[in-house]
Structures are given as structure tokens and as C-alpha cells.
């Protein structure tokens, strides 16, 4: 949010003529992101689309045309922002993050949950705990099987995205016992509650859409997290960005075309999914007006 404000305040007065973006370590003692921009002051302050040619340097050097829009807070990767803003589902799911210790204290009971402590990471793994809660919180926790990884690990199977807690940690929940950190694994709570099968469908949909736009934009809508020798530049996915992707999940408003939607996901047809959502949203809006 701070970087959004800087861009909005500054680029109202200046155009970017060209830029050199470094996605590799430059300075010996820091991995801080570096970009060299060449600016030109506008004759009159104005919020408008900015287009320029940039040079991106990581494992290779590439030249790319950039389009920054005020609607997307002048962030790169405008294609992602356009999709999540224009393709929000007619009936979106509601998303909340974190299972907090305060909620556990208020809902103590006799029902057993296996969790990891997101604030206790030692010897490359999270500490396992057993907690006891009432039936209401037990049902809520057990009914939500997904968590979000906001930071790339560097491995091909450890990219930012949605995962199941059983598959990765073999637990029922991810507990926050101290401070919340956006880079920890974070449990997701969905309303209305989706069946296990539909949560897996959401996971596959989310990861497919995320990877599609990462490839399309070279991950430029995400924040560079850390330079390393991994096979790709490690990135951070914001929680608000993740929520926007999930809100494009159209499943609640689908009627007779659920099978088609599932087949597109199973076939990993991201382009087909985007076309499907465009048509579905258009038809839903027409029905509302009729």
C-alpha cells in the first residue's frame, strides 16, 4: 500500500521514458530490488496511462514494452490487475485468513485438532501441536482444508499458491500463536463452506490462473522476494491479490455448465477458463437485467 501511494503521487507529475529493471543481486550486502528510471516532468499534473520500453536483466536480458495504468496504481503486470478487477464472480466466495490463538482461547472444548504453530519454525519445520476446541470451531477448522503459501520457496513444486494442509503438513489447521506474518503459511476460511472436492477445484483453479499470469507477465504483478540461484526469481504474492483471484472463482453462480468448467480446469486450459468466465459473467448480468 505504501508503494502504491508513492507511484500514484509521483507519476501524476512525471512520465517514465525508459527503465532498467534488475532482478538479480547487484550489491554485495543486500538483495534490495533495484530499478533505474528515466523521468520526464509533465506539463500539467495528470493521471494517465504511461507506456515505455524497459530493459529487464536477470538470467537473460530482455526488452519489453510496459503499460502502467492509474486504475492499477501504476503497477507492472497490468494484465493480472485487469483480470481480477473485471472478472469478479457474480456470486463470489468470501475469504478470511488466519486461525488465531485468541479464537482458540474463546472456543475451548473437548474436540481434538492437530495443528502446526506458524510462529515456531525450527530445524526447517514447523512445530506440531494438539489443541482442544468446541464443536463449532472444530467443524469450522476441519471444513477448511486449504492454506496459502505467499512466498516462492525456490523449488518447482514450492511456488506461491494454494495447497492442502494434509498434503503438506499432515495437520488440520495452521495456528498463529504470536504475531501474524504475511510470509507464513496461512489457513484460509471460506464462506459459504465448500465441499472438499470443490475446495480442491478452487485450489487447482487458483494455481492455474496464477501460473498463467506469472508466465504472461513474467511475474511482474508480484513483489520480488529474494534473489537466489533457484530456477526462477522468487516472488511474493500479496494477500489482497490472492483474495482477488479467489473472488473470480465462478462456481457459486454456475448452473448447467459446471461440468464444462471442471473439464477446463482438469485440462489446465487457462485461456479457455478466462473465456468461459467472460461468457458466464456476461450471461449472468443479462439475466439480472431481464
Amino acid at each position: 500500500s505504501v508503494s502504491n501511494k508513492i507511484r500514484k503521487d509521483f507519476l501524476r507529475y512525471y512520465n517514465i521514458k525508459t527503465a532498467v529493471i534488475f532482478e538479480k543481486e547487484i550489491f554485495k550486502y543486500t538483495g534490495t530490488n533495484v530499478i533505474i528510471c528515466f523521468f520526464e516532468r509533465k506539463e500539467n499534473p495528470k493521471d494517465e496511462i504511461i507506456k515505455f520500453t524497459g530493459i529487464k536483466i536477470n538470467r537473460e536480458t530482455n526488452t519489453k514494452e510496459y503499460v502502467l495504468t492509474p486504475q492499477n496504481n501504476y503497477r507492472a503486470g497490468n494484465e493480472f490487475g485487469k483480470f481480477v478487477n473485471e472478472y469478479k464472480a457474480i456470486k463470489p466466495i468470501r475469504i478470511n485468513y488466519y486461525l488465531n490463538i485468541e479464537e482458540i482461547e474463546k472456543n475451548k472444548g473437548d474436540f481434538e485438532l492437530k495443528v502446526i504453530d506458524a510462529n515456531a519454525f525450527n530445524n526447517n519445520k514447523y512445530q506440531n501441536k494438539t489443541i482442544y476446541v468446541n464443536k463449532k470451531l472444530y467443524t469450522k477448522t476441519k471444513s477448511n482444508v486449504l492454506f496459502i503459501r505467499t512466498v516462492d520457496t525456490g523449488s518447482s513444486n514450492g511456488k506461491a499458491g494454494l495447497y492442502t494442509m494434509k498434503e503438506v503438513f499432515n495437520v488440520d489447521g495452521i495456528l498463529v500463536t504470536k504475531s501474524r506474518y504475511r510470509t507464513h503459511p496461512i489457513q484460509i476460511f471460506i464462506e459459504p463452506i465448500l465441499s472438499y472436492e470443490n475446495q480442491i477445484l478452487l485450489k487447482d483453479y487458483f494455481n492455474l490462473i496464477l501460473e498463467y499470469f506469472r508466465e504472461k507477465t513474467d511475474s511482474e504483478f508480484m513483489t520480488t522476494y529474494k534473489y537466489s540461484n533457484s530456477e526462477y526469481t522468487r516472488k511474493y504474492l500479496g494477500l489482497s491479490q490472492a483474495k482477488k483471484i479467489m473472488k473470480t472463482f465462478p462456481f457459486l453462480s454456475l448452473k448447467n455448465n459446471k461440468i464444462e468448467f471442471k473439464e477446463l480446469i482438469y485440462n489446465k486450459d487457462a485461456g479457455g477458463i478466462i473465456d468461459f468466465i467472460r461468457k458466464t459473467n456476461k450471461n449472468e448480468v443479462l439475466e439480472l437485467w431481464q
Side-chain angles (χ1 to χ4, degrees):
S1 59
V2 173
S3 59
N4 285 343
K5 176 172 173 53
I6 292 171
R7 285 192 298 270
K8 288 171 70 176
D9 288 352
F10 189 80
L11 295 177
R12 178 175 172 79
Y13 296 90
Y14 290 88
N15 279 315
I16 301 175
K17 303 305 294 181
T18 188
V20 182
I21 302 112
F22 295 91
E23 282 201 332
K24 59 187 294 185
E25 187 174 1
I26 294 179
F27 301 111
K28 186 175 181 180
Y29 298 108
T30 179
T32 301
N33 305 344
V34 175
I35 179 172
I36 302 172
C37 293
F38 296 85
F39 298 104
E40 181 178 81
R41 189 177 181 91
K42 298 178 181 179
E43 291 186 9
N44 298 298
K46 186 178 181 182
D47 291 319
E48 59 186 346
I49 295 174
I50 296 176
K51 298 180 181 181
F52 63 93
T53 301
I55 301 171
K56 194 172 195 180
I57 302 172
N58 41 43
R59 290 168 186 76
E60 300 176 345
T61 299
N62 295 300
T63 300
K64 183 177 178 181
E65 299 300 317
Y66 287 87
V67 179
L68 311 182
T69 67
Q71 292 81 6
N72 196 36
N73 297 314
Y74 296 107
R75 290 181 68 100
N78 186 55
E79 297 91 338
F80 171 82
K82 184 176 181 181
F83 172 77
V84 295
N85 290 325
E86 294 185 5
Y87 290 78
K88 183 178 178 181
I90 302 298
K91 297 178 182 177
I93 56 176
R94 297 185 297 277
I95 303 295
N96 288 297
Y97 297 122
Y98 300 106
L99 175 63
N100 296 299
I101 190 65
E102 292 82 7
E103 190 172 7
I104 303 301
E105 295 296 330
K106 293 177 182 177
N107 293 276
K108 290 183 178 180
D110 300 322
F111 290 82
E112 181 181 286
L113 288 173
K114 302 289 186 182
V115 300
I116 57 168
D117 185 344
N119 297 107
F121 187 75
N122 296 302
N123 298 320
N124 292 321
K125 69 176 185 177
Y126 291 96
Q127 180 181 338
N128 287 75
K129 289 185 175 182
T130 301
I131 59 175
Y132 294 89
V133 299
N134 60 26
K135 185 176 181 179
K136 181 180 178 181
L137 185 55
Y138 174 85
T139 301
K140 173 185 173 181
T141 305
K142 292 280 286 187
S143 298
N144 289 278
V145 303
L146 301 178
F147 78 94
I148 183 167
R149 177 180 283 148
T150 60
V151 175
D152 294 330
T153 64
S155 66
S156 59
N157 60 350
K159 282 191 171 183
L162 297 189
Y163 298 84
T164 65
M165 290 174 290
K166 280 290 185 184
E167 178 184 13
V168 179
F169 300 115
N170 195 30
V171 294
D172 305 309
I174 299 174
L175 179 62
V176 179
T177 55
K178 297 177 184 177
S179 299
R180 295 179 177 183
Y181 290 102
R182 295 175 296 171
T183 53
H184 285 169
I186 300 167
Q187 187 167 357
I188 297 169
F189 295 92
I190 303 168
E191 295 180 10
I193 293 175
L194 300 178
S195 67
Y196 176 82
E197 291 75 16
N198 289 341
Q199 287 185 66
I200 299 304
L201 192 70
L202 169 62
K203 173 182 74 71
D204 293 341
Y205 166 83
F206 182 99
N207 293 339
L208 188 61
I209 293 297
L210 178 59
E211 190 59 29
Y212 172 81
F213 281 105
R214 289 194 70 161
E215 186 172 335
K216 188 177 181 68
T217 69
D218 197 21
S219 301
E220 287 174 341
F221 61 93
M222 303 171 75
T223 301
T224 300
Y225 177 70
K226 190 174 183 180
Y227 300 126
S228 66
N229 294 321
S230 61
E231 58 193 58
Y232 55 87
T233 302
R234 292 179 64 188
K235 295 282 184 171
Y236 164 79
L237 176 69
L239 289 176
S240 61
Q241 292 175 308
K243 186 175 288 189
K244 286 181 178 181
I245 297 176
M246 285 184 268
K247 284 185 175 294
T248 66
F249 185 61
F251 200 73
L252 295 182
S253 60
L254 297 183
K255 297 176 182 176
N256 300 323
N257 45 5
K258 288 184 178 180
I259 294 177
E260 180 185 354
F261 180 64
K262 289 180 180 180
E263 287 179 349
L264 288 168
I265 293 175
Y266 295 150
N267 292 328
K268 297 184 178 181
D269 185 357
I273 289 172
I274 292 172
D275 288 338
F276 176 89
I277 293 174
R278 181 190 295 116
K279 294 175 184 177
T280 300
N281 284 8
K282 183 178 179 180
N283 291 337
E284 286 286 333
V285 170
L286 287 175
E287 287 185 17
L288 289 174
W289 280 99
Q290 289 175 350

